[in-house]
Amino acid sequence: MFRKILIANRGEIACRVIATARRMGIATVAVYSDADAASKHVAMADGAVRIGAAAVAESYLKGDAIIAAALRTGAEAIHSGYGFLSENPGFVEAVQAAGLGFIGPPASAIRAMGLKDAAKALMIKAGVPVVPGYHGESQDPAHLAAEAAAIGYPVLIKARAGGGGKGMRLVTDPGDFAQALESAQREARSSFGDPACLVEKYITQPRHIEIQVFGDTQGHVVHLFERDCSLQRRHQKVIEEAPAPGMPAEVRAAMGKAAVEAARAIGYQGAGTVEFIVDGSGPLRPDGFWFMEMNTRLQVEHPVSEAITGLDFVELQLRIAAGEPLPFRQQDLRIDGWAFEARIYAEDVEKGFLPATGTLEHLSFPEGVEFRRGAVRIDSGVRQGDEISPWYDPMIAKVVVHGPDRTAARNLLSTTLEHCRIAGSTTNLEFLAALSRHDGFRAGDVDTGLIARDLDQLIAAAPLPAAAPALAALAALNLLDPPQAADPWDRLTGWRGWSAAESFVALDHKDGPLALRVIHLDPRQFHVTGAGYDTTLTLLDHRDGALRFSCDGLQSTAHFVATPDRISLFLSGRKHDFTRIDPLLAGEHDAAGGDTILAPMPGLVAALRTSAGARVTKGDALIFIEAMKMEHILTAPRDGIVAEVLVAEGDQVSDGTVLVRMEAEDG
């Protein structure tokens, strides 16, 4: 077994590998960019080496710098995690040429599956069913458009390299094909260095089911059952589960056999995942699944398979890379219970899942909790106080739950998500909680279109509880802190010697501004009015971060995080953000008005499709912004004429930057 390994990655997966290596007594070396110098994975490792600037191309994609770091620190092997160089056969060959071990499959296997078109041809030869489509070499837009027409719409444009939903576009209208192809190619070039795409028939009610496989150096290959990854937004997975709901034994056997044959066809070693598109229009059947691609690495969602098998997949990777045989055969493996994984991202769901940034002012998870044979596991690469950087994937954590059956595990998932508390960045946490309560999801009736179909329902905001603005007003006045922790002079806020004291607070909420009046009935009781609210609130207890209170006679518990600018209140499983308003500025309006297009997040201007003087129609694509390795399209807010374009292709812009000004409608 190895004595020391280097992890050529960052964030959650680097922390995950380090944890297993530490348990096995293996020393670890981390690598980091300038943006990650103070990150969690660097702090966890036994040693760390700087490899470059924040940009991925200048750090985590620099194979030579990573290999040099391994040699310099005496590491014997490299684990590449997922993403970055994990599926780069040239990197694997360079690692081995330097006399180091690679904890993953051989370069030949990665190369065989690295290009989706070649992989599908190989699978056809191996007798594995594949989705109909064009997998040829031609990248001529006219030729690809003709192939799409021959296949029949809707079609899916897919980058032939990489994965993670990048370089993927669904096209339902032939008139949109050219723009979608251009965008997919540009994103594929940015993410994988290869702009080539293929075109496939889009299955109208598909399920995404994948099979986990492992192979050793002695030629043994097994599958460790399936995961259902159908809950996706923008072709990226949101909640995964194992096993798949409604999976008959004969279909599991057929899919497992196909996955093992696929792995054997390329001499696979280590952890891998064979992904299938499955017809979800009715019951699953043995002839209703088709090969999509193989991920020649550990998957983000591997913990759900670990939960139902009781195995540590990183440990298996390490042992296989060290030459040990698989410690089991197919007949030894069993499914135990049910597991879910929900991915918490810094992103704005209401703005189309745009990535978000910010400092994690508060981060709290119910980690390690056990409920009636159910268990909660949190995999995260960040800590409280860390910054969500625009340079990398905005994942905050993976919430993994395991229970004796699907109902118990799903209930535990909902409960756990409601008890996660994150402040300082916009997240998808409430969206995940709503998704876990969705009727179709509860019933196991899932497909890849569920989120898009029911998005309005999933993001519908619940009415603001009466207690929330009252608590926010008290927090703004420093009246929610425990008495022993507060500055005693703050307790004199609004004090009067002859009548009930009162204070006035101006707050902003996403539903609009709030002007509130707080009447101090006694040191722990307040009457709050204004903005349509009229409530009496009594503070009962405040310990261990939990505030117990009574609102109009109804007791409840809340948590809050207050900063000089913002108050985040966690109440009844939801977060409510309030911004403090300076009364002197409360009447000012945004000078930008409604005739501008602003950058919705920090990013790179990847392409411009307009110029000053151009006449545009509402919805026209004007600017393509690349952020966190995904491309986002900014469209015209209305019909009109472009007055000014304030950026150029290649510019790096910050959140809120004015990109385009439209001529005033009355001009």
Side-chain angles (χ1 to χ4, degrees), residues 53-77:
V56 171
E58 299 176 36
S59 51
Y60 296 106
L61 291 181
K62 290 177 63 177
D64 54 348
I66 291 170
I67 292 170
L71 295 172
R72 174 184 171 188
T73 57
E76 300 165 296

PDB file of all heavy atoms in Angstrom, residues 53-77:
ATOM      1  N   ALA A  53      -1.855  30.259 -10.408  1.00  0.00           N
ATOM      2  CA  ALA A  53      -2.847  31.309 -10.193  1.00  0.00           C
ATOM      3  C   ALA A  53      -4.247  30.713 -10.093  1.00  0.00           C
ATOM      4  O   ALA A  53      -4.454  29.507 -10.236  1.00  0.00           O
ATOM      5  CB  ALA A  53      -2.771  32.324 -11.328  1.00  0.00           C
ATOM      6  N   ALA A  54      -5.242  31.586  -9.875  1.00  0.00           N
ATOM      7  CA  ALA A  54      -6.608  31.126  -9.634  1.00  0.00           C
ATOM      8  C   ALA A  54      -7.224  30.431 -10.834  1.00  0.00           C
ATOM      9  O   ALA A  54      -7.958  29.447 -10.679  1.00  0.00           O
ATOM     10  CB  ALA A  54      -7.478  32.309  -9.213  1.00  0.00           C
ATOM     11  N   ALA A  55      -6.959  30.911 -12.036  1.00  0.00           N
ATOM     12  CA  ALA A  55      -7.564  30.327 -13.234  1.00  0.00           C
ATOM     13  C   ALA A  55      -7.216  28.840 -13.345  1.00  0.00           C
ATOM     14  O   ALA A  55      -6.073  28.441 -13.097  1.00  0.00           O
ATOM     15  CB  ALA A  55      -7.099  31.072 -14.474  1.00  0.00           C
ATOM     16  N   VAL A  56      -8.195  28.028 -13.712  1.00  0.00           N
ATOM     17  CA  VAL A  56      -8.004  26.578 -13.802  1.00  0.00           C
ATOM     18  C   VAL A  56      -6.853  26.223 -14.738  1.00  0.00           C
ATOM     19  O   VAL A  56      -6.034  25.337 -14.441  1.00  0.00           O
ATOM     20  CB  VAL A  56      -9.312  25.909 -14.268  1.00  0.00           C
ATOM     21  CG1 VAL A  56      -9.085  24.452 -14.592  1.00  0.00           C
ATOM     22  CG2 VAL A  56     -10.387  26.054 -13.205  1.00  0.00           C
ATOM     23  N   ALA A  57      -6.776  26.907 -15.874  1.00  0.00           N
ATOM     24  CA  ALA A  57      -5.725  26.611 -16.852  1.00  0.00           C
ATOM     25  C   ALA A  57      -4.337  26.905 -16.304  1.00  0.00           C
ATOM     26  O   ALA A  57      -3.342  26.365 -16.800  1.00  0.00           O
ATOM     27  CB  ALA A  57      -5.960  27.412 -18.130  1.00  0.00           C
ATOM     28  N   GLU A  58      -4.269  27.742 -15.280  1.00  0.00           N
ATOM     29  CA  GLU A  58      -2.980  28.111 -14.697  1.00  0.00           C
ATOM     30  C   GLU A  58      -2.702  27.390 -13.382  1.00  0.00           C
ATOM     31  O   GLU A  58      -1.742  27.719 -12.687  1.00  0.00           O
ATOM     32  CB  GLU A  58      -2.937  29.629 -14.476  1.00  0.00           C
ATOM     33  CG  GLU A  58      -3.076  30.436 -15.757  1.00  0.00           C
ATOM     34  CD  GLU A  58      -3.126  31.926 -15.484  1.00  0.00           C
ATOM     35  OE1 GLU A  58      -2.430  32.378 -14.564  1.00  0.00           O
ATOM     36  OE2 GLU A  58      -3.875  32.629 -16.190  1.00  0.00           O
ATOM     37  N   SER A  59      -3.532  26.415 -13.042  1.00  0.00           N
ATOM     38  CA  SER A  59      -3.325  25.710 -11.771  1.00  0.00           C
ATOM     39  C   SER A  59      -3.740  24.237 -11.886  1.00  0.00           C
ATOM     40  O   SER A  59      -2.903  23.382 -12.173  1.00  0.00           O
ATOM     41  CB  SER A  59      -4.081  26.409 -10.635  1.00  0.00           C
ATOM     42  OG  SER A  59      -5.442  26.620 -10.984  1.00  0.00           O
ATOM     43  N   TYR A  60      -5.024  23.961 -11.708  1.00  0.00           N
ATOM     44  CA  TYR A  60      -5.472  22.570 -11.597  1.00  0.00           C
ATOM     45  C   TYR A  60      -5.432  21.801 -12.913  1.00  0.00           C
ATOM     46  O   TYR A  60      -5.626  20.576 -12.916  1.00  0.00           O
ATOM     47  CB  TYR A  60      -6.874  22.525 -10.989  1.00  0.00           C
ATOM     48  CG  TYR A  60      -6.890  23.053  -9.563  1.00  0.00           C
ATOM     49  CD1 TYR A  60      -7.426  24.307  -9.271  1.00  0.00           C
ATOM     50  CD2 TYR A  60      -6.331  22.314  -8.521  1.00  0.00           C
ATOM     51  CE1 TYR A  60      -7.425  24.807  -7.971  1.00  0.00           C
ATOM     52  CE2 TYR A  60      -6.324  22.804  -7.224  1.00  0.00           C
ATOM     53  CZ  TYR A  60      -6.870  24.053  -6.954  1.00  0.00           C
ATOM     54  OH  TYR A  60      -6.853  24.530  -5.660  1.00  0.00           O
ATOM     55  N   LEU A  61      -5.188  22.480 -14.027  1.00  0.00           N
ATOM     56  CA  LEU A  61      -4.989  21.778 -15.294  1.00  0.00           C
ATOM     57  C   LEU A  61      -3.515  21.714 -15.698  1.00  0.00           C
ATOM     58  O   LEU A  61      -3.199  21.246 -16.785  1.00  0.00           O
ATOM     59  CB  LEU A  61      -5.801  22.463 -16.404  1.00  0.00           C
ATOM     60  CG  LEU A  61      -7.325  22.329 -16.306  1.00  0.00           C
ATOM     61  CD1 LEU A  61      -8.002  23.034 -17.479  1.00  0.00           C
ATOM     62  CD2 LEU A  61      -7.754  20.865 -16.254  1.00  0.00           C
ATOM     63  N   LYS A  62      -2.628  22.160 -14.835  1.00  0.00           N
ATOM     64  CA  LYS A  62      -1.192  22.125 -15.124  1.00  0.00           C
ATOM     65  C   LYS A  62      -0.610  20.791 -14.654  1.00  0.00           C
ATOM     66  O   LYS A  62      -0.100  20.668 -13.541  1.00  0.00           O
ATOM     67  CB  LYS A  62      -0.489  23.300 -14.443  1.00  0.00           C
ATOM     68  CG  LYS A  62      -0.815  24.657 -15.061  1.00  0.00           C
ATOM     69  CD  LYS A  62      -0.143  25.795 -14.311  1.00  0.00           C
ATOM     70  CE  LYS A  62       1.370  25.694 -14.364  1.00  0.00           C
ATOM     71  NZ  LYS A  62       2.014  26.858 -13.693  1.00  0.00           N
ATOM     72  N   GLY A  63      -0.707  19.802 -15.513  1.00  0.00           N
ATOM     73  CA  GLY A  63      -0.240  18.469 -15.158  1.00  0.00           C
ATOM     74  C   GLY A  63       1.223  18.420 -14.785  1.00  0.00           C
ATOM     75  O   GLY A  63       1.611  17.709 -13.844  1.00  0.00           O
ATOM     76  N   ASP A  64       2.060  19.178 -15.483  1.00  0.00           N
ATOM     77  CA  ASP A  64       3.493  19.141 -15.184  1.00  0.00           C
ATOM     78  C   ASP A  64       3.779  19.683 -13.788  1.00  0.00           C
ATOM     79  O   ASP A  64       4.618  19.135 -13.053  1.00  0.00           O
ATOM     80  CB  ASP A  64       4.274  19.927 -16.236  1.00  0.00           C
ATOM     81  CG  ASP A  64       3.773  21.355 -16.407  1.00  0.00           C
ATOM     82  OD1 ASP A  64       2.683  21.691 -15.898  1.00  0.00           O
ATOM     83  OD2 ASP A  64       4.478  22.154 -17.074  1.00  0.00           O
ATOM     84  N   ALA A  65       3.060  20.740 -13.379  1.00  0.00           N
ATOM     85  CA  ALA A  65       3.265  21.306 -12.044  1.00  0.00           C
ATOM     86  C   ALA A  65       2.799  20.336 -10.963  1.00  0.00           C
ATOM     87  O   ALA A  65       3.412  20.231  -9.888  1.00  0.00           O
ATOM     88  CB  ALA A  65       2.524  22.636 -11.921  1.00  0.00           C
ATOM     89  N   ILE A  66       1.722  19.619 -11.238  1.00  0.00           N
ATOM     90  CA  ILE A  66       1.195  18.659 -10.265  1.00  0.00           C
ATOM     91  C   ILE A  66       2.153  17.484 -10.105  1.00  0.00           C
ATOM     92  O   ILE A  66       2.439  17.037  -8.985  1.00  0.00           O
ATOM     93  CB  ILE A  66      -0.202  18.194 -10.704  1.00  0.00           C
ATOM     94  CG1 ILE A  66      -1.204  19.358 -10.559  1.00  0.00           C
ATOM     95  CG2 ILE A  66      -0.661  16.986  -9.892  1.00  0.00           C
ATOM     96  CD1 ILE A  66      -2.548  19.098 -11.185  1.00  0.00           C
ATOM     97  N   ILE A  67       2.670  16.981 -11.212  1.00  0.00           N
ATOM     98  CA  ILE A  67       3.633  15.869 -11.148  1.00  0.00           C
ATOM     99  C   ILE A  67       4.903  16.311 -10.428  1.00  0.00           C
ATOM    100  O   ILE A  67       5.454  15.574  -9.596  1.00  0.00           O
ATOM    101  CB  ILE A  67       3.945  15.360 -12.566  1.00  0.00           C
ATOM    102  CG1 ILE A  67       2.698  14.689 -13.163  1.00  0.00           C
ATOM    103  CG2 ILE A  67       5.128  14.392 -12.554  1.00  0.00           C
ATOM    104  CD1 ILE A  67       2.818  14.359 -14.634  1.00  0.00           C
ATOM    105  N   ALA A  68       5.361  17.523 -10.713  1.00  0.00           N
ATOM    106  CA  ALA A  68       6.550  18.046 -10.027  1.00  0.00           C
ATOM    107  C   ALA A  68       6.314  18.145  -8.528  1.00  0.00           C
ATOM    108  O   ALA A  68       7.209  17.854  -7.720  1.00  0.00           O
ATOM    109  CB  ALA A  68       6.925  19.412 -10.598  1.00  0.00           C
ATOM    110  N   ALA A  69       5.094  18.541  -8.129  1.00  0.00           N
ATOM    111  CA  ALA A  69       4.769  18.632  -6.704  1.00  0.00           C
ATOM    112  C   ALA A  69       4.803  17.256  -6.052  1.00  0.00           C
ATOM    113  O   ALA A  69       5.269  17.101  -4.907  1.00  0.00           O
ATOM    114  CB  ALA A  69       3.393  19.271  -6.528  1.00  0.00           C
ATOM    115  N   ALA A  70       4.315  16.235  -6.767  1.00  0.00           N
ATOM    116  CA  ALA A  70       4.337  14.876  -6.226  1.00  0.00           C
ATOM    117  C   ALA A  70       5.770  14.385  -6.034  1.00  0.00           C
ATOM    118  O   ALA A  70       6.113  13.807  -4.990  1.00  0.00           O
ATOM    119  CB  ALA A  70       3.564  13.940  -7.152  1.00  0.00           C
ATOM    120  N   LEU A  71       6.600  14.619  -7.022  1.00  0.00           N
ATOM    121  CA  LEU A  71       7.999  14.189  -6.923  1.00  0.00           C
ATOM    122  C   LEU A  71       8.733  14.935  -5.816  1.00  0.00           C
ATOM    123  O   LEU A  71       9.517  14.349  -5.063  1.00  0.00           O
ATOM    124  CB  LEU A  71       8.699  14.406  -8.264  1.00  0.00           C
ATOM    125  CG  LEU A  71       8.179  13.553  -9.438  1.00  0.00           C
ATOM    126  CD1 LEU A  71       8.817  13.997 -10.750  1.00  0.00           C
ATOM    127  CD2 LEU A  71       8.450  12.068  -9.181  1.00  0.00           C
ATOM    128  N   ARG A  72       8.459  16.221  -5.727  1.00  0.00           N
ATOM    129  CA  ARG A  72       9.129  17.053  -4.719  1.00  0.00           C
ATOM    130  C   ARG A  72       8.786  16.628  -3.293  1.00  0.00           C
ATOM    131  O   ARG A  72       9.636  16.675  -2.392  1.00  0.00           O
ATOM    132  CB  ARG A  72       8.721  18.504  -4.942  1.00  0.00           C
ATOM    133  CG  ARG A  72       9.218  19.492  -3.903  1.00  0.00           C
ATOM    134  CD  ARG A  72       8.664  20.867  -4.203  1.00  0.00           C
ATOM    135  NE  ARG A  72       8.922  21.817  -3.152  1.00  0.00           N
ATOM    136  CZ  ARG A  72       8.414  23.041  -3.093  1.00  0.00           C
ATOM    137  NH1 ARG A  72       7.594  23.454  -4.062  1.00  0.00           N
ATOM    138  NH2 ARG A  72       8.689  23.848  -2.092  1.00  0.00           N
ATOM    139  N   THR A  73       7.551  16.178  -3.075  1.00  0.00           N
ATOM    140  CA  THR A  73       7.100  15.843  -1.724  1.00  0.00           C
ATOM    141  C   THR A  73       7.218  14.358  -1.390  1.00  0.00           C
ATOM    142  O   THR A  73       6.878  13.949  -0.279  1.00  0.00           O
ATOM    143  CB  THR A  73       5.630  16.268  -1.539  1.00  0.00           C
ATOM    144  OG1 THR A  73       4.827  15.635  -2.552  1.00  0.00           O
ATOM    145  CG2 THR A  73       5.486  17.779  -1.644  1.00  0.00           C
ATOM    146  N   GLY A  74       7.681  13.552  -2.338  1.00  0.00           N
ATOM    147  CA  GLY A  74       7.847  12.134  -2.073  1.00  0.00           C
ATOM    148  C   GLY A  74       6.565  11.326  -2.159  1.00  0.00           C
ATOM    149  O   GLY A  74       6.506  10.201  -1.646  1.00  0.00           O
ATOM    150  N   ALA A  75       5.539  11.872  -2.810  1.00  0.00           N
ATOM    151  CA  ALA A  75       4.301  11.107  -3.000  1.00  0.00           C
ATOM    152  C   ALA A  75       4.563   9.961  -3.967  1.00  0.00           C
ATOM    153  O   ALA A  75       5.333  10.093  -4.920  1.00  0.00           O
ATOM    154  CB  ALA A  75       3.197  12.014  -3.523  1.00  0.00           C
ATOM    155  N   GLU A  76       3.909   8.836  -3.737  1.00  0.00           N
ATOM    156  CA  GLU A  76       4.116   7.659  -4.583  1.00  0.00           C
ATOM    157  C   GLU A  76       3.065   7.527  -5.679  1.00  0.00           C
ATOM    158  O   GLU A  76       3.284   6.809  -6.657  1.00  0.00           O
ATOM    159  CB  GLU A  76       4.092   6.401  -3.716  1.00  0.00           C
ATOM    160  CG  GLU A  76       5.168   6.391  -2.643  1.00  0.00           C
ATOM    161  CD  GLU A  76       4.899   5.331  -1.591  1.00  0.00           C
ATOM    162  OE1 GLU A  76       3.876   5.447  -0.886  1.00  0.00           O
ATOM    163  OE2 GLU A  76       5.704   4.390  -1.493  1.00  0.00           O
ATOM    164  N   ALA A  77       1.927   8.187  -5.494  1.00  0.00           N
ATOM    165  CA  ALA A  77       0.835   8.063  -6.467  1.00  0.00           C
ATOM    166  C   ALA A  77      -0.020   9.317  -6.432  1.00  0.00           C
ATOM    167  O   ALA A  77       0.035  10.103  -5.480  1.00  0.00           O
ATOM    168  CB  ALA A  77      -0.009   6.825  -6.165  1.00  0.00           C
TER     169      ALA A  77
END
